């Protein structure tokens, strides 16, 4: 064997070998780019995002369904409803960055602020205007076994391409409500999202289907539309330090004259 032949053989053997799942994943990925900032807009013209959500289909719940209670993270004294004394901050968070009540899929996708999508071959990030992000694994992995991980507001998401449509399946979400149409979720609830570009890529339609036999008499489905923002759009950095007392307040009332 010549030196040149040996060198080429070494290079070939050093190349990564794709698993069957990875090979199918690589072949199935379409030429669709969801990257960038997407904004929900008031398409009805009333100026009320709550009104837009109220027009979505109502969830059909099973008879005698009892809504689940979201796990409490309250560590501060409950509000008395009276004005705060001078120098006493208004408490707006428990100081726990990872379990913010707003860090969940229904809220981050229905909020009026834009979402930032960062698309890669093996992972897609949905970044809201708050600490944290929904991680969508595109590498063919399965969900972890039930009970292996603690439920979170964002759950565990895996995705795949069906033609030019991104299909995302999410499980392991924490118990709570806030789902448009009067829906609820528990760690056993399954959410399927279908992401589709429309209007030549200027709009993004996301279809949500919530399934949980103990909650819904039939799958609860609705769609939201987002509008692509200019490429010059950027986000300011937001951070959270759970050890910083300032993270536990919104405003300290000043001394009044």
């Amino acid at each position: 064997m010549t030196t040149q032949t040996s060198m080429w053989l070494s290079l070939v053997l050093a190349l990564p070998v794709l698993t069957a799942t990875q090979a199918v994943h690589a072949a199935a990925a379409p030429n669709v780019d969801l990257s960038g900032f997407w904004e929900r807009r008031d398409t009805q013209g009333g100026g009320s995002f709550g009104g837009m959500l109220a027009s979505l289909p109502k969830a059909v719940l099973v008879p005698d369904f009892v809504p689940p209670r979201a796990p409490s993270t309250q560590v501060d004294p409950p509000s008395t409803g009276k004005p705060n004394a001078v120098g006493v901050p208004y408490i707006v968070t428990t100081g726990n960055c990872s379990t913010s009540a707003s860090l969940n899929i229904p809220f981050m996708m229905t909020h009026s602020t834009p979402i930032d999508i960062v698309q890669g071959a093996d992972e897609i990030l949905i970044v809201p205007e708050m600490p944290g992000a929904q991680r969508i694994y595109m590498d063919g992995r399965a969900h972890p076994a039930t009970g292996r991980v603690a439920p979170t507001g964002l759950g565990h998401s895996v995705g795949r391409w069906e033609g030019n449509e991104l299909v995302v399946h999410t499980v392991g979400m924490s118990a709570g409500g806030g789902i448009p149409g009067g829906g609820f979720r528990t760690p056993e609830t399954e959410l399927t999202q279908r992401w589709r570009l429309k209007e030549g890529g200027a709009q993004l339609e996301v279809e949500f289907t919530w399934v949980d036999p103990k909650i819904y008499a039939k799958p609860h489905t609705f769609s939201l539309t987002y509008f692509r923002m200019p490429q010059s759009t950027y986000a300011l950095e937001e951070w959270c330090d759970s050890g910083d007392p300032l993270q536990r307040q919104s405003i300290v009332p000043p001394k009044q004259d």
Side-chain angles (χ1 to χ4, degrees):
M1 182 181 295
T2 65
T3 302
Q4 185 177 16
T5 302
S6 177
M7 180 182 68
W8 280 109
L9 180 60
S10 299
L11 288 174
V12 170
L13 293 176
L15 291 175
V17 178
L18 295 178
T19 65
T21 300
Q22 291 172 325
V24 171
H25 159 69
N31 186 25
V32 176
D33 187 10
L34 304 178
S35 298
F37 285 86
W38 297 88
E39 178 186 34
R40 283 192 66 225
R41 295 177 185 171
D42 178 13
T43 55
Q44 297 180 354
S48 171
F49 281 91
M52 294 173 61
L53 294 178
S55 66
L56 296 175
K58 303 300 181 185
V60 181
L61 307 180
V62 300
D64 303 322
F65 167 70
V66 178
R69 295 186 60 183
S72 175
T73 57
Q74 181 71 38
V75 297
D76 299 300
S79 172
T80 62
K82 299 178 180 179
N84 281 36
V86 174
V88 178
Y90 289 99
I91 306 300
V92 296
T93 172
T94 63
N96 189 331
C97 303
S98 62
T99 57
S100 169
S102 60
L103 189 58
N104 59 64
I105 292 177
F107 183 83
M108 64 177 273
M109 296 298 292
T110 59
H111 201 266
S112 58
T113 56
I115 55 173
D116 182 16
I117 300 180
V118 183
Q119 180 176 332
D122 295 324
E123 187 175 349
I124 297 176
L125 300 180
I126 312 298
V127 186
E129 193 184 61
M130 61 192 74
Q134 179 187 3
R135 305 170 69 101
I136 303 172
Y137 297 104
M138 302 292 295
D139 56 2
R141 74 179 66 186
H143 291 300
T146 303
R148 289 290 302 274
V149 294
T152 67
L154 299 177
H156 185 273
S157 300
V158 297
R160 68 182 187 277
W161 291 102
E162 291 186 358
N164 290 332
E165 185 173 276
L166 173 63
V167 180
V168 181
H169 187 255
T170 302
V171 297
M173 294 168 281
S174 55
I179 297 173
F184 298 87
R185 68 183 189 276
T186 68
E188 296 76 39
T189 302
E190 298 184 25
L191 168 63
T192 299
Q193 296 168 293
R194 291 182 174 271
W195 304 64
R196 314 179 185 98
L197 288 178
K198 300 172 56 180
E199 301 297 327
Q203 296 181 21
L204 174 62
E205 180 185 62
V206 183
E207 179 186 272
F208 299 74
T209 299
W210 300 83
V211 176
D212 194 327
K214 66 179 178 296
I215 299 177
Y216 303 102
K218 66 176 184 178
H220 178 43
T221 300
F222 58 85
S223 296
L224 299 175
T225 300
Y226 304 81
F227 294 78
R228 188 187 292 274
M229 302 184 72
Q231 291 186 354
S232 58
T233 304
Y234 64 93
L236 298 176
E237 182 180 6
E238 182 171 343
W239 57 274
C240 182
D241 178 2
S242 60
D244 184 353
L246 293 180
Q247 291 289 152
R248 304 170 66 80
Q249 69 182 47
S250 174
I251 185 173
V252 177
K255 182 179 179 180
Q256 304 296 315
D257 295 331

